[in-house]
Amino acid sequence: MAVGGDAGRVVRDGAGDDNIILNPEFDDGLDDWAGRGCKIELHDSLDDGKVLPVNGKYFVAATGRTDTWNGIQQDVSSRLQRKLLYEVAATVRLSGANVPASPCDVLATLAVQTADGRQQYISVAKSQASDKEWVQVQGKFLLNSTAAKAAIYIEGPPPGVDLLLDSLMVKHAQKTTPAPAPDFENLVYGENIIQNSNLDDGLNGWFGLGSCTLSVHGGSPRVLPPMAQESLALDDEDEPLNGMHIHVTNRAQTWMGPAQIITDKLTLYATYQVSAWVRVGGLQAGGAPQNINVAVAVDSQWINGGQVLAQDERWYEVGGSFRLESKPASRVMLYVQGPDAGVDLMVAGLQVFPVDRKARVRHLRKLTDKVRKRDVVVKVTTSVPGGGGGEAVKAADGVEVRVRQVSNSFPLGACIMRTNMDNEDYVDFFTKNFNWAVFGNELKWYWTEPQKGQLNYGDADDLIKLCSDHGMCVRGHCIFWEVDNAVQQWVKTLSTDDLSAAVNSRITGLLTRYKGKFRHYDVNNEMLHGSFYQDKLGKDIRATMFKMASELDPDALLFVNDYNVESMCDVRATPEAYIEQIIGLQEQGAPVGGVGLQGHVSNPVGPVVRSVLDRLAVLGLPLWFTELDVSSANEHVRADDLEVMLREAYAHPAVEGVVLWGFWELFMSRDCAHLVDAEGEVNEAGCRLLQLKREWLTRAHGHADDNGEFKFRGHHGAYHLDVVTPTGNISQDFTVDKDDSPLVLNITV
């Protein structure tokens, strides 16, 4: 499925398989090549013959480098085509007396000057290189706009380090055939893959990591944790557990705990839910809360299968999920770990089972019907002389009613960046399929004021105009960002008084300029994970930011916004920690108007997500997924992940909107997360989005009954109605808003 029409989709000169780089292996010396801020030299060997070319007869060295951006470049202005996906491969190496002991980043970058004079630097590829061997730097890029000038260059190592280039290839990327949907025919959903989970056979199948001691005891819960119950369709009266648990003592390290090998029990691409009761023992009075984690060790890789923070010695539910997308080289081990050394750990009823997502969909459709639909009664009467309605039509009168929903009112948005505006295919998909927007970087302080006093609102202005022209609402992301590495350097160097003044200037300037333009603001992004402004300006600064924003733009809804809360995998970002933070802000007088869940999720499981939403819903504030994306190398699995998140959000009464953190290949923050490929082909995940959008539009067709009524239940949103009678047709547009009582439409024919 392609985005847009044939316009812009014609294969042009330069769109074939040929390398657009001239003299790519330096057979013609330095022809067509130049140094970027440095000198370049041609060599057939270096270091007494220890460094030799690997492709042709020569290579080039960039010498006299005084900055990281110095390197080797070629002008490709006349050979580069917009809206084509290019793949890049450069063979590089470091040389000279100043090469660091550790490998350095080497980058391929595209410098572009657009037809309207804007300068862009597109990061194409990055890899680590040293002076020990040649390595490849590989990546892809797509140019949205027409380039007046374009040059690709190799850069990156520290100043003083010579950069060697053996060859460079830039050519139109060939389409690859997507992998088929995984085969789950023999998968038994809901079957626990943990051996002897209930401990009926003592410790058979279990072993302790390290020098810890395992023993079996009674006194644990006799019901499965709620998240597992919801997936397995169990209720509170079931007692699948026998009250036994593993008690782990003599723990000398945090990683010590009970373990099992599960290598041969896993199916690739299947999503496994993790559930258990966990507890700590031997805590000192007033001791710190203890992190308890279900970990999955795949060869040398560690996967988080769920995490909980135990505040005391009660039993806690730990829940999470994981998935393998490639076959392990050796083994997969699941273990429970986390508490401090010397603290006892108890584990009961550990469940790890593949999730039946289709069964969950049936359940969510029922919930959706309650939350997102309303009864509608079309009441048709005949007109009487003098005007007004008369008697209700009869079934025998043959009055036909046709109802078509034009749009769903549920906010569904996407992230867009200024560079995307230059690609009409991107804009077409964006404006046709979303009704809300958020900017990727263009409103962030480091973008609007990269250097003190050098303000840049042009990109944000352009994006606001695009959204306004298409009737789209916009979220303001973000006024401040609390995480240290997201704060520009000049801000970090300010004194306390100067920082306070800069903060005041930032919020006043931004919200005065755009008053009434943004429906939401993320006031201080990721406060669960950072504390730059709080550390510098005191604990009251966060509430002060909310108060100032409210005074400057009273109509904007002010949000907290953070990541990992929805995944149960981060003890810094538990639902309880988020609730505590929000209540703390409110007690300081901060007008918090909404709760943002970023939603950068992996292998989501519905009951885990819903459990978080239920907990946060007690705040009584609207919940939004503000930066939703999912990632899988298999498009079908990615589509399933996206469907899980969208259905859970749409079926929950506290969720009032979802914004995707992008949808177009190369313009996403995560790999394997896109819904549309770089050249406009909609993939399986994108098709799933469109399928859900169609499902959430109501159509109804029938005849008025003997009471002159035609009844249906429809999704909230805008509708078009046609009433067809033997004497003529009547049309009317109407809106189905959220309400518990039926909407009655009186139609006179």
Side-chain angles (χ1 to χ4, degrees):
M1 179 180 180
V3 174
D6 293 333
R9 304 293 298 165
V10 179
V11 177
R12 296 152 289 185
D13 291 342
D17 295 333
D18 294 338
N19 189 357
I20 68 168
I21 296 298
L22 304 178
N23 188 23
E25 296 178 359
F26 310 104
D27 292 331
D28 296 325
L30 296 177
D31 288 357
D32 304 301
W33 292 94
R36 188 174 181 86
C38 62
K39 297 178 180 179
I40 58 172
E41 303 169 349
L42 187 70
H43 293 275
D44 58 7
S45 68
L46 274 178
D47 197 13
D48 296 327
K50 294 179 182 178
V51 180
L52 298 171
V54 292
N55 289 301
K57 298 179 181 179
Y58 305 101
F59 58 86
V60 165
T63 62
R65 299 177 62 255
T66 59
D67 211 329
T68 57
W69 58 267
N70 297 158
I72 306 159
Q73 72 174 358
Q74 184 169 129
D75 188 298
V76 291
S77 305
S78 62
R79 302 184 299 282
L80 200 61
Q81 303 293 327
R82 65 185 291 256
K83 300 198 301 182
L84 286 184
L85 179 65
Y86 288 92
E87 56 185 353
V88 176
T91 305
V92 301
R93 187 170 180 161
L94 306 184
S95 182
N98 299 316
V99 175
S102 300
C104 304
D105 285 341
V106 174
L107 300 85
T109 304
L110 186 71
V112 177
Q113 182 178 324
T114 63
D116 59 2
R118 287 181 294 113
Q119 192 73 31
Q120 299 175 354
Y121 293 92
I122 301 173
S123 179
V124 176
K126 181 171 72 173
S127 186
Q128 297 258 295
S130 69
D131 58 356
K132 302 295 188 293
E133 61 182 349
W134 292 98
V135 298
Q136 278 219 325
V137 180
Q138 294 179 305
K140 296 180 180 180
F141 71 89
L142 175 131
L143 189 61
N144 286 308
S145 55
T146 300
K149 294 181 180 179
I152 189 164
Y153 61 101
I154 310 301
E155 57 162 336
V161 176
D162 292 349
L163 175 57
L164 310 185
L165 176 65
D166 177 82
S167 62
L168 178 62
M169 180 275 294
V170 179
K171 67 178 182 180
H172 181 221
Q174 298 302 302
K175 291 186 180 297
T176 57
T177 302
D183 181 7
F184 296 146
E185 183 177 351
N186 297 321
L187 191 64
V188 181
Y189 293 111
E191 183 177 70
N192 190 8
I193 66 171
I194 296 298
Q195 180 183 351
N196 187 28
S197 172
N198 229 5
L199 306 174
D200 294 320
D201 194 14
L203 290 170
N204 184 33
W206 295 92
F207 62 93
L209 281 183
S211 59
C212 64
T213 303
L214 307 186
S215 56
V216 177
H217 297 267
S220 63
R222 289 181 173 270
V223 294
L224 285 178
M227 285 182 278
Q229 287 188 33
E230 191 165 350
S231 287
L232 299 172
L234 300 175
D235 58 44
D236 292 336
E237 296 180 0
D238 289 293
E239 292 192 4
L241 304 183
N242 62 5
M244 307 302 290
H245 68 272
I246 296 176
H247 194 127
V248 189
T249 55
N250 301 319
R251 298 180 61 256
Q253 301 288 340
T254 59
W255 48 264
M256 291 185 179
Q260 280 199 19
I261 302 299
I262 59 172
T263 313
D264 298 329
K265 300 177 181 180
L266 298 172
T267 299
L268 292 184
Y269 290 105
T271 301
Y272 288 86
Q273 182 172 344
V274 177
S275 176
W277 291 111
V278 292
R279 181 181 174 186
V280 293
L283 284 178
Q284 298 297 320
Q290 297 294 310
N291 170 32
I292 305 176
N293 163 241
V294 180
V296 183
V298 184
D299 300 328
S300 60
Q301 179 189 8
W302 176 82
I303 298 175
N304 191 339
Q307 213 155 333
V308 69
L309 196 65
Q311 303 282 351
D312 47 40
E313 295 191 5
R314 292 174 294 165
W315 286 100
Y316 285 83
E317 175 184 17
V318 62
S321 62
F322 70 92
R323 179 170 60 223
L324 299 190
E325 297 201 353
S326 58
K327 189 173 181 179
S330 57
R331 68 172 191 173
V332 180
M333 178 178 66
L334 184 139
Y335 60 105
V336 186
Q337 59 153 4
D340 295 340
V343 175
D344 291 355
L345 171 63
M346 288 162 266
V347 181
L350 179 59
Q351 305 277 320
V352 178
F353 55 89
V355 178
D356 185 354
R357 288 172 155 181
K358 291 182 180 178
R360 181 74 178 172
V361 167
R362 293 190 289 270
H363 173 64
L364 291 175
R365 282 187 172 132
K366 294 178 182 178
L367 296 177
T368 296
D369 187 79
K370 297 177 181 178
V371 174
R372 304 295 175 190
K373 288 185 176 182
R374 183 181 179 187
D375 289 325
V376 181
V377 180
V378 180
K379 197 165 188 177
V380 186
T381 59
T382 58
S383 61
V384 296
E391 296 181 352
V393 299
K394 305 297 183 184
D397 295 335
V399 174
E400 184 180 3
V401 180
R402 300 172 184 167
V403 179
R404 175 176 56 87
Q405 188 171 4
V406 177
S407 63
N408 190 308
S409 58
F410 183 78
L412 179 62
C415 172
I416 185 173
M417 294 178 282
R418 175 59 185 85
T419 181
N420 302 136
M421 285 181 58
D422 300 324
N423 186 332
E424 57 272 21
D425 295 340
Y426 183 106
V427 172
D428 183 65
F429 188 92
F430 173 66
T431 55
K432 284 182 178 178
N433 292 292
F434 302 102
N435 52 21
W436 277 69
V438 68
F439 307 158
N441 293 305
E442 288 78 359
L443 208 68
K444 293 170 182 171
W445 195 5
Y446 64 65
W447 190 278
T448 62
E449 194 176 4
Q451 301 297 327
K452 186 176 182 180
Q454 297 180 9
L455 297 176
N456 168 31
Y457 289 116
D459 293 335
D461 290 345
D462 290 346
L463 288 168
I464 287 174
K465 184 179 186 306
L466 172 71
C467 295
S468 177
D469 289 347
H470 290 87
M472 303 176 78
C473 302
V474 190
R475 302 193 75 252
H477 177 75
C478 50
I479 304 175
F480 299 103
W481 197 341
E482 190 70 284
V483 177
D484 187 85
N485 62 13
V487 179
Q488 58 270 55
Q489 191 59 40
W490 71 265
V491 173
K492 292 182 179 181
T493 63
L494 297 175
S495 67
T496 300
D497 289 344
D498 288 344
L499 177 60
S500 181
V503 164
N504 184 75
S505 176
R506 158 67 175 173
I507 193 169
T508 302
L510 183 73
L511 272 71
T512 300
R513 180 184 184 91
Y514 293 122
K515 184 176 182 179
K517 301 291 187 182
F518 293 100
R519 298 281 293 274
H520 297 172
Y521 276 107
D522 294 330
V523 176
N524 191 5
N525 198 37
E526 298 176 0
M527 292 185 289
L528 291 173
H529 291 90
S531 58
F532 173 81
Y533 295 102
Q534 182 172 264
D535 292 343
K536 299 288 186 180
L537 300 176
K539 64 182 181 63
D540 294 334
I541 186 59
R542 292 174 170 180
T544 299
M545 290 172 173
F546 274 86
K547 294 173 187 177
M548 290 185 66
S550 180
E551 292 171 2
L552 291 164
D553 195 346
D555 293 333
L557 208 59
L558 306 180
F559 275 68
V560 293
N561 190 52
D562 227 304
Y563 63 92
N564 282 353
V565 179
E566 65 287 320
S567 300
M568 308 282 276
C569 64
D570 183 349
V571 293
R572 296 172 300 174
T574 64
E576 291 71 25
Y578 213 12
I579 291 169
E580 182 180 352
Q581 181 182 89
I582 294 164
I583 291 175
L585 287 167
Q586 292 173 328
E587 289 175 344
Q588 290 180 279
V592 180
V595 180
L597 301 164
Q598 290 186 8
H600 302 296
V601 298
S602 299
N603 36 267
V605 170
V608 176
V609 175
R610 189 171 182 90
S611 174
V612 173
L613 297 177
D614 287 346
R615 296 182 206 187
L616 294 174
V618 301
L619 291 164
L621 296 172
L623 309 181
W624 278 64
F625 283 102
T626 56
E627 304 178 19
L628 178 64
D629 56 21
V630 296
S631 175
S632 174
N634 187 289
E635 293 178 4
H636 298 269
V637 177
R638 193 186 316 163
D640 289 344
D641 285 352
L642 181 64
E643 182 175 0
V644 166
M645 294 304 299
L646 291 177
R647 285 194 184 277
E648 292 294 340
Y650 194 61
H652 199 284
V655 177
E656 296 192 6
V658 174
V659 179
L660 305 186
W661 199 241
F663 56 88
W664 201 275
E665 185 182 11
L666 298 185
F667 299 97
M668 307 281 295
S669 62
R670 299 169 72 187
D671 293 333
C672 301
H674 59 280
L675 315 185
V676 184
D677 77 16
E679 296 184 359
E681 195 75 19
V682 180
N683 64 24
E684 187 66 30
C687 289
R688 192 71 59 87
L689 170 71
L690 301 181
Q691 175 187 319
L692 287 172
K693 284 173 59 66
R694 288 191 296 269
E695 179 182 324
W696 294 336
L697 291 175
T698 300
R699 286 179 177 268
H701 176 225
H703 292 84
D705 61 17
D706 280 337
N707 295 317
E709 295 179 345
F710 174 76
K711 300 177 181 179
F712 70 96
R713 186 167 176 82
H715 293 272
H716 305 147
Y719 284 78
H720 180 78
L721 169 71
D722 290 311
V723 178
V724 182
T725 74
T727 58
N729 300 342
I730 295 176
S731 296
Q732 181 174 318
D733 294 328
F734 65 97
T735 301
V736 175
D737 294 318
K738 184 177 181 179
D739 202 306
D740 292 333
S741 62
L743 172 66
V744 179
L745 296 174
N746 291 303
I747 306 294
T748 303
V749 297

